[in-house]
Amino acid sequence: MPYLLKYTYIIYLLFIYLNINNLFANNQLDVINTNHKFELTEDEKQWINKNKYVKFTGDPSWLPVEGFDKNNIYIGMVADYLYKIENKTGLVFNKIKPKDWNEAVNMANRKDVDIISEVVAENMVNQTMNYTKPYIQTPLVVIMKNSENHMFIDKLNLIKDKKIAYVSGYGYVEDLIKKYPKIKFYEVPTVQDGLEQVASGQIDAFIETLIVSSYNISKLGLSNLDIVGRLDLIVNIGLGVRNDNQILLNILNKAFDSITIEEQDEIIHKWIKVEMKYKINWFLILQILAFILIIITVLVYFNYKLKKTVKEKTVDLELQKAKLKEFNLNLETLVMLRTIELEKTKTEIETVHKKTKDSIEHASLIQSSLIPNNYIFEQFFTDHFSIWQPKDIVGGDIYFVEQLNENEILIIVADCTGHGVPGAFVTMLVKAIERQIVYQALQNQEVSTANLLSLFNKNIKNILNQYEEIYESYKSNVGFDGAILHFNKNTKTLKFAGAKINLYYIESADSELKTIQADRHSIGYKHSRVNYIFTEHSIILKEGTQVFITTDGYLDQIGENKKMPFGKSRFIKIIKDNFNKNCKIQKDIFIEEFNIYKGSQSQTDDITLISFKI
């Protein structure tokens, strides 16, 4: 009964989900609890009147913490804190841009500036600077290429044979070297250099804070990098003040203490995206739960009947055998009797099997009812076709079409984990989440397909508790590869975001088939990053352009003769050779070519292929 245990486990996870009260994700940094009343002494007020302008410097390239933009304006979280301090104290910070961090440190050591933005390391001693209380805390993380399968790294000893780098001169370097004295570290001049060297393979791993690394990976578009671990080192960020200016240090500490949690949250939300708790469609969840329970109940019941029947007949056969030995009856007669009993048992088993199959086929009708009809396509496109062909009676592929208004349509394609009944369960979960996401899309004036994919990713991970570093005891690891298309028939604008499913389009029979590559990041799995930002592509479609999108089931089908996948080149050739034909004929050709290539081979995977013309 392994498959029954697996289904029961999924039910168990859903019950856990129904009892979740907090869906907020962990923030990337900690808020320092302050909120004290701001009061200055008379000496401090007089000092401000005499020394209103204060020289300040910091790291020119450490966003979102701090940095200078192309117009040499100081920006980032530290800049926002300084702005609030200016409003509270009347001080004016003269921000001086250094060439790099090392030059900023040298300026502070020479006392060319009054203040420097600095990482406050444990037991830090500096002959020229005293330090304010830390006002930002964030952990150190490990960044590596995602082309390899990495375990979760919480200690650098796990990768001690790799080339590991950090930014030269950063405040946390001393603590890092002290904790791992036997590891040979490499130095890079900036965060951007460190990330790019990992992406190009010059180094194997890079150590940086969580907020800075995640911000710059997204900003630089380094999609081949992943945050693969979190170290037990916390980076505290404060201000370094010249050690001959204790009164300025006291003023800054009082100003930081007076900044409220709400003001700090405002700064955090400006630079770091925070996950939100979404309203759950409880009615739809209960419908899905009821559907799953019905199937499990039927399977358990008929499995019980089958075991009971087999057990009874086994006992009966043993009794017949004992009678054969005891009474020495005619062998031919006993064989005939046993044959009759076996035939009867076979008939009963076949009956149980048929009832089980009928139950699954009924589930197929329920899943098929989720597939959209042609009416919505006809309102938006001149021609279209769709192929939805599960490998088994039910499958893990699904697609949805939602009309947002009279001009806009949303198409969602999902290739879920597994096929058959397990895959069908996941499609039901995806459908439940899809209804929430469509509702949220209708609340916004502009629909973002990339944001919708991110919402799918966060919801699935939260619902099934699929976090490797937190829920190691949970065995669930399901999700899907997918794509979301948004089309506006007035502007002929198509937006696309994909998770391992590409988009293809061709403008004429003489033109090349164009491909829009999806992000190489799946939805919802344990290894899927909860804050991953998907790429949104937007194109203006000319009249006559035809668009294609397919799950990997069509392309990965193994052929009878060559024992190789159908492949993308055959797929593209069918599109170009038949572009001028109507979509009904094209659909027949796609099916015919697929079946010819497959031959006597079994279908490898579920298939979904959708196409439409403008």
Side-chain angles (χ1 to χ4, degrees), residues 415-462:
D415 181 358
C416 302
T417 305
H419 345 98
V421 175
F425 284 168
V426 183
T427 64
M428 294 295 104
L429 178 60
V430 172
K431 177 61 180 177
I433 297 172
E434 183 258 351
R435 297 306 304 159
Q436 303 171 46
I437 288 178
V438 170
Y439 171 79
Q440 292 174 19
L442 291 172
Q443 309 309 305
N444 300 323
Q445 293 183 351
E446 183 174 347
V447 176
S448 169
T449 55
N451 286 346
L452 295 181
L453 273 185
S454 296
L455 289 174
F456 267 116
N457 186 41
K458 294 170 185 175
N459 271 272
I460 291 179
K461 290 182 75 67
N462 283 332

Side-chain angles (χ1 to χ4, degrees), residues 20 22-26 152 275 457-474 476-477 524-531:
I20 291 176
N22 184 6
L23 295 179
F24 285 98
N26 292 327
F152 181 77
E275 293 183 60
N457 186 41
K458 294 170 185 175
N459 271 272
I460 291 179
K461 290 182 75 67
N462 283 332
I463 288 172
L464 298 182
N465 293 323
Q466 294 185 157
Y467 295 92
E468 289 182 332
E469 68 275 21
I470 300 176
Y471 300 103
E472 294 180 355
S473 62
Y474 288 10
S476 172
N477 188 22
Y525 292 95
K526 281 186 178 180
H527 63 268
S528 301
R529 287 172 286 165
V530 68
N531 290 320

Side-chain angles (χ1 to χ4, degrees), residues 7-23 277 280 282 285-286 289 292-293 429 459-467 470-476:
Y7 301 154
T8 305
Y9 185 71
I10 293 175
I11 297 297
Y12 170 72
L13 290 179
L14 284 174
F15 272 114
I16 292 176
Y17 161 68
L18 292 175
N19 286 279
I20 291 176
N21 292 316
N22 184 6
L23 295 179
K277 182 177 179 182
I280 303 300
W282 294 106
I285 290 293
L286 290 174
L289 185 59
I292 295 172
L293 285 173
L429 178 60
N459 271 272
I460 291 179
K461 290 182 75 67
N462 283 332
I463 288 172
L464 298 182
N465 293 323
Q466 294 185 157
Y467 295 92
I470 300 176
Y471 300 103
E472 294 180 355
S473 62
Y474 288 10
K475 305 303 181 184
S476 172

Side-chain angles (χ1 to χ4, degrees), residues 505-514 576 579:
Y505 69 97
I506 184 170
E507 296 175 341
S508 67
D510 299 327
S511 64
E512 291 295 322
L513 179 72
K514 298 179 181 178
K576 299 197 68 174
F579 175 77

Side-chain angles (χ1 to χ4, degrees), residues 220-248:
L220 297 173
L222 301 175
S223 59
N224 65 334
L225 297 186
D226 273 336
I227 295 174
V228 300
R230 171 175 173 165
L231 305 180
D232 59 348
L233 289 174
I234 300 298
V235 174
N236 298 302
I237 301 173
L239 296 181
V241 183
R242 285 175 49 168
N243 59 6
D244 58 359
N245 202 340
Q246 182 64 37
I247 193 167
L248 176 58

Side-chain angles (χ1 to χ4, degrees), residues 280-388:
I280 303 300
N281 188 334
W282 294 106
F283 180 72
L284 189 54
I285 290 293
L286 290 174
Q287 284 182 318
I288 295 169
L289 185 59
F291 167 76
I292 295 172
L293 285 173
I294 290 171
I295 291 181
I296 295 300
T297 302
V298 170
L299 290 173
V300 170
Y301 173 76
F302 286 116
N303 186 72
Y304 167 78
K305 291 280 289 183
L306 179 61
K307 287 183 65 177
K308 183 178 179 182
T309 301
V310 171
K311 183 178 180 180
E312 290 174 351
K313 298 309 174 182
T314 301
V315 172
D316 189 58
L317 289 174
E318 289 297 326
L319 290 174
Q320 293 297 331
K321 181 179 178 181
K323 290 179 180 180
L324 176 63
K325 293 180 179 179
E326 183 178 355
F327 301 106
N328 196 19
L329 297 175
N330 185 282
L331 181 60
E332 182 178 350
T333 302
L334 288 176
V335 169
M336 183 176 63
L337 291 173
R338 290 175 65 186
T339 301
I340 292 173
E341 290 294 334
L342 287 173
E343 287 295 330
K344 182 180 177 182
T345 301
K346 178 184 175 184
T347 301
E348 292 176 353
I349 292 173
E350 289 174 347
T351 300
V352 171
H353 175 74
K354 182 179 183 303
K355 289 181 179 180
T356 304
K357 183 178 179 183
D358 289 344
S359 297
I360 297 175
E361 287 176 346
H362 182 70
S364 173
L365 295 177
I366 297 174
Q367 187 180 45
S368 298
S369 67
L370 299 177
I371 300 300
N373 58 39
N374 294 328
Y375 173 77
I376 298 180
F377 281 104
E378 292 168 356
Q379 303 303 306
F380 285 83
F381 308 113
T382 60
D383 202 357
H384 73 278
F385 76 83
S386 61
I387 300 172
W388 181 71

